Amino acid sequence: MTLTETPVRRKAPDPALPALRAETRRGIGPWAGLSTALVLGVTMAAEADAWQGDWIETQSLLHSGATLLAGPLVAATACWQGARDHRRSTGELWRSTPRARWQRMVVAALPLALWAVVGYALALAGALLATWPYAGGGGPLLSVVVVDAVFLAAAALLGFAAGVLCRWRLAAPVVAALMYLVLGVPTYSESPARYLDPAVNLALDDSVPVWWYAPAMAAWTCGLAAAVLTAVAARRRLAALVPLAVAAVVAPLIVATGEDLFRDDPAAVRLVCTQGSPQICLSGRQEHLLPQVAEALSGLTGRLKGVPGAPERYVARLPLHGPDEAWIPPPNPGWYLLRGRLQDTGDYAWQVAANMTMRDCSRHHEDGDGRHEPAPDEAVGKWLAPAGLAPGTNKSPELRRLEAMPDAERRAWLGRYMTTRTSCDPSEVPSL
């Protein structure tokens, strides 16, 4: 280098970055992420029969676990981390260093928030992979994933701030209990304000969130968490008014919208039916189950073949539109559906037959003694779906007479019976 050359000055690396990497790799953060993944994994595995095979059920249960179980756990872990300087009595030592207070807190809190999101992502990936081989159309809702992940990050920031403020060693479990109550109690409310609760039960059976649901909830939860942490960490506490103002602007929008945060899902409202007659109709979400449901009801529909007045459509929705429709139970996980396969098809057909022959006549069909007039409804239901007859149970005289009828006579009698399915006048029901 000659005497006229000016030495190049290299910018010194930010001292906070090595500390942030160290906290991320070797601090309590990895354990927080692992515990989050384990809690959610065990919760999902324990209820696998109720969700595996359906995207909506999978995400609904994961949402409840992430908010009501993982949220308090993350907050308690972050609270313990925030109280680290109190336990070690290193507060005076840190104040003698040139690093700003807010930098120290960000370095300690941010890895916890990141690892909580990573733990949730691992549990989410595992649950979706377990559902994918058995699920039909559709898929997980990204907006719900974003809301849950952002909430866990916000819970970490709030818990950390509580640990900084509170010197009590039992603060962490108390924070977890309080967060569980704060999240859990509003879920039983009917007020529109309950939608401010990240743990509220989401109406995902036949609806989907509006497009701005995720940004609004993220602004609400992160705004509150950032405001609290800024008030605790920053030298100029007025800076906390900025995220607090964001949360205050979004909250009235969420409350005012209320149930309209969720709009009808076209796939859930749309009916998809089999070809031919009679038709079996399920929602667009369950279109892939039509062959199984049609096979389960083949015995019932076969017995009604050629019967005048028999239902022309079997639909998995209410209300029914006319006497030519009959209701069938939606094949949902936890009831009749297990990992994409329809279970107990005999009982499924019996439920359809029982509903078809059930009369809503609570104010009718009573004689002077207050007893219901005899009707062949039970006999018809058990004849249509023999699985409804318990083992060892004797057949009723009406059922035996119905079975003994010649085919042509039975079809004619069933035709007269089907025309009175919705009648509450006993005199109109043909006797057996």
Side-chain angles (χ1 to χ4, degrees), residues 372-398:
H372 289 283
E373 291 286 347
D377 296 341
E378 184 178 358
V380 174
K382 290 182 177 179
W383 181 80
L384 290 175
L389 190 64
T393 304
N394 294 327
K395 296 180 180 179
S396 65
E398 292 84 359

Side-chain angles (χ1 to χ4, degrees), residues 58-271:
T58 299
Q59 201 156 15
S60 296
L61 183 59
L62 190 63
H63 166 74
S64 298
T67 51
L68 291 175
L69 297 180
L73 173 65
V74 169
T77 306
C79 180
W80 182 261
Q81 174 80 341
R84 180 174 58 179
D85 292 343
H86 299 323
R87 295 193 305 272
R88 297 177 179 178
S89 301
T90 55
E92 190 67 29
L93 177 63
W94 279 115
R95 283 190 288 270
S96 65
T97 62
R99 187 183 301 173
R101 174 183 172 87
W102 69 268
Q103 286 183 330
R104 298 198 309 270
M105 290 194 179
V106 167
V107 166
L110 188 58
L112 276 171
L114 294 176
W115 274 109
V117 174
V118 170
Y120 168 75
L122 291 175
L124 173 68
L128 296 183
L129 286 175
T131 289
W132 174 73
Y134 313 107
L141 299 174
L142 180 60
S143 57
V144 178
V145 174
V146 172
V147 170
D148 291 345
V150 169
F151 162 73
L152 289 175
L157 300 183
L158 287 173
F160 185 87
V164 173
L165 292 175
C166 186
R167 297 174 179 268
W168 190 31
R169 286 184 175 270
L170 295 179
V174 171
V175 165
L178 288 177
M179 177 166 283
Y180 181 82
L181 291 176
V182 169
L183 294 172
V185 171
T187 60
Y188 297 97
S189 171
E190 296 297 328
S191 169
R194 72 183 187 275
Y195 290 102
L196 292 174
D197 182 6
V200 68
N201 295 324
L202 302 181
L204 301 179
D205 290 339
D206 54 4
S207 58
V208 292
V210 295
W211 67 267
W212 53 269
Y213 171 72
M217 287 300 295
W220 162 244
T221 55
C222 283
L224 286 181
V228 172
L229 188 61
T230 303
V232 172
R235 179 177 299 178
R236 297 180 180 179
R237 296 185 176 180
L238 289 178
L241 294 177
V242 176
L244 185 61
V246 173
V249 169
V250 172
L253 176 62
I254 296 174
V255 175
T257 307
E259 294 180 355
D260 291 334
L261 285 167
F262 302 89
R263 59 178 177 83
D264 290 340
D265 181 7
V269 176
R270 176 174 54 93
L271 282 180

Side-chain angles (χ1 to χ4, degrees), residues 361-373 424 426:
C361 301
S362 56
R363 298 181 181 179
H364 304 274
H365 283 196
E366 293 187 354
D367 55 21
D369 297 330
R371 294 174 297 179
H372 289 283
E373 291 286 347
C424 291

